[in-house]
Amino acid sequence: MSGPDIVGVAARRRAQPQHLLRVRGRSVAWVPPLVLLVAIAVVDWNTSAEFRIISWIVLVPGIAAAICGVKATAVFAVLGLITYIEMDAVWPDEYQSGMPDFILVAVGGALATLACAVRIRGERRMLHMRDVADTTRRTVLRPLPSPWAGLDHAAVYLAADSEARVGGDFFDIQPGPHGTRVLVGDVQGKGLPAVEAAAALLGTFRESAYHEASLAVVAERLEVRMGRHRRYVTDLGEDLDGNPARGVERFATGVLVAFPPPGSPGGHIEVVNFGHEPPLVAGPDGVRALPPGDGLPLGLGALAGTGSGIPPVRRVPLAPDETLLLVTDGVTEARDTDGVFFPLHERLALAVSTDPTATHPRHLVEVVRDGTLRHSEGHLADDTTIFAVRQVR
């Protein structure tokens, strides 16, 4: 599992509507309207004149419009009209349905074909917008090789809005000459403005995490970038959704982690917590939480008054067989039907004690993902990111 595990397809494909009812890759959507056409003709042939149902044939192109393409719908409209004429002609004159039903079948077929064309156009537009969202997702949450830069990792991203496919959660790994840095965070708010803020932070992280030797300087760069972004949105006067700018309210929580470069003494990592959920460490000895975030979120450093407002860099132990788990509040604030929050620490400790292999990054994110979805019954109130990383042994 490299990169975000998001339901979707690559944005490079051309947007094409997917036909329903496929068997072994071939569309069989034409079968239901064809069966209905034959059934109506057979029933009409074998019933008395007082029970003529041949006019029901207008349903055939209607059903085709819902599940077939435009050409197939037009074919069924023509077949329906021809079948109506033939079936109506075999009865004596006094039993013929006449011109009114003929007009009904003809107009119904034409309207069904038009409705199918509108449906196909809407599907293509929807798929195009989905591809745009996929392109945005790959820009913000770029695919990550696994393992990469001496780290084994796995990630799951679940958007609260299944159609949005990307939100304000963000994460990345940036190797460099001073070690490998990891960033996981959550921008306040939703929609395109949150995505824009996340993209701004990730761009700064990817550059500063590579060039700067000090993690404190990387943290400072992120704080400055968030402040600049807020001022830009405020000066712009409106956000990407066309609403009045709320840049002064935009902030982001996050955790910045530094793994030592290869060849240097290991057994520890450096952590800067910008008011985010404290990471958990899962290993053979169980699950423990790192110190809680005592710093302000990114963008709110000026509220600290004196000083820079940058949280301190903490040096914490991390054994080679331990995995660092970072999540956003989509996990910790997931609730069941009774309003009870998801007990992440307890569920994780139970999984690790039951199965020692659960500490592997891929297994760890699967445990948390499945537990969160079961606890909330699939109703996520916020975007959810689950990111697990450990040094390659």
Side-chain angles (χ1 to χ4, degrees):
M1 186 184 304
S2 60
D5 178 16
I6 304 178
V7 179
V9 292
R12 293 188 297 270
R13 66 163 173 77
R14 182 182 177 185
Q16 292 290 343
Q18 299 297 313
H19 296 296
L20 303 176
L21 301 177
R22 304 184 72 86
V23 176
R24 295 182 179 179
R26 296 181 178 273
S27 175
V28 293
W30 52 270
V31 174
L34 180 61
V35 171
L36 179 62
L37 176 65
V38 174
I40 291 176
V42 170
V43 172
D44 184 77
W45 179 268
N46 290 281
T47 54
S48 63
E50 291 78 11
F51 193 68
R52 298 293 311 277
I53 67 168
I54 190 61
S55 59
W56 289 18
I57 210 165
V58 73
L59 297 175
V60 173
I63 292 177
I67 60 178
C68 298
V70 177
K71 291 182 180 179
T73 302
V75 168
F76 277 111
V78 173
L79 285 177
L81 187 60
I82 293 175
T83 303
Y84 170 82
I85 295 173
E86 294 297 325
M87 295 299 298
D88 198 47
V90 301
W91 290 91
D93 293 342
E94 62 270 20
Y95 296 135
Q96 289 185 343
S97 299
M99 184 60 67
D101 283 353
F102 173 84
I103 295 176
L104 172 66
V105 174
V107 173
L111 292 178
T113 304
L114 178 61
C116 182
V118 173
R119 176 181 68 84
I120 295 296
R121 181 179 180 182
E123 289 180 357
R124 286 176 175 165
R125 181 178 299 175
M126 179 190 68
L127 290 173
H128 175 70
M129 295 303 296
R130 181 173 295 181
D131 286 348
V132 171
D134 282 332
T135 301
T136 304
R137 185 260 301 173
R138 290 176 64 88
T139 301
V140 177
L141 304 179
R142 61 178 179 174
L144 301 174
S146 183
W148 193 34
L151 298 182
D152 193 4
H153 62 88
V156 168
Y157 173 78
L158 302 172
D161 182 357
S162 60
E163 297 300 324
R165 306 170 73 82
V166 66
D169 287 6
F170 57 92
F171 60 89
D172 202 3
I173 297 176
Q174 181 58 60
H178 309 291
T180 302
R181 275 71 184 267
V182 174
L183 177 65
V184 175
D186 180 9
V187 176
Q188 170 264 344
K190 300 180 182 295
L192 289 177
V195 176
E196 184 187 30
L201 289 173
L202 284 173
T204 297
F205 167 73
R206 289 163 185 166
E207 289 301 309
S208 61
Y210 179 87
H211 292 286
E212 301 296 341
S214 170
L215 192 66
V217 175
V218 178
E220 185 178 359
R221 293 283 185 89
L222 291 172
E223 173 64 29
V224 171
R225 185 66 181 92
M226 192 65 197
R228 290 172 53 204
H229 179 74
R230 289 172 57 186
R231 289 191 295 272
Y232 160 76
V233 175
T234 301
D235 294 341
L236 188 63
E238 63 180 26
D239 59 29
L240 292 181
D241 290 331
N243 302 316
R246 300 178 60 195
V248 294
E249 302 176 8
R250 188 75 59 191
F251 62 86
T253 64
V255 177
L256 181 61
V257 182
F259 288 85
S264 61
H268 72 278
I269 56 174
E270 292 181 335
V271 179
V272 179
N273 193 323
F274 295 93
H276 198 77
E277 295 289 337
L280 298 178
V281 175
D285 297 330
V287 178
R288 74 178 193 274
L290 296 187
D294 51 4
L296 292 172
L298 288 163
L300 301 181
L303 300 179
T306 59
S308 63
I310 305 299
V313 177
R314 296 184 180 274
R315 184 183 177 100
V316 298
L318 184 71
D321 57 355
E322 291 183 320
T323 300
L324 186 66
L325 176 70
L326 304 103
V327 301
T328 58
D329 54 11
V331 174
T332 56
E333 295 183 4
R335 304 191 188 196
D336 61 12
T337 54
D338 297 326
V340 178
F341 290 109
F342 176 59
L344 174 61
H345 194 288
E346 292 78 2
R347 295 288 180 86
L348 203 59
L350 178 61
V352 171
S353 63
T354 304
D355 181 10
T357 63
T359 59
H360 187 279
R362 177 174 298 183
H363 296 162
L364 205 60
V365 297
E366 290 175 352
V367 167
V368 178
R369 177 197 62 192
D370 296 344
T372 303
L373 292 176
R374 280 196 301 266
H375 184 80
S376 63
E377 297 184 353
H379 301 293
L380 298 175
D382 200 356
D383 297 333
T384 301
T385 294
I386 308 165
F387 188 85
V389 59
R390 72 176 180 185
Q391 293 176 300
V392 176
R393 290 183 291 174

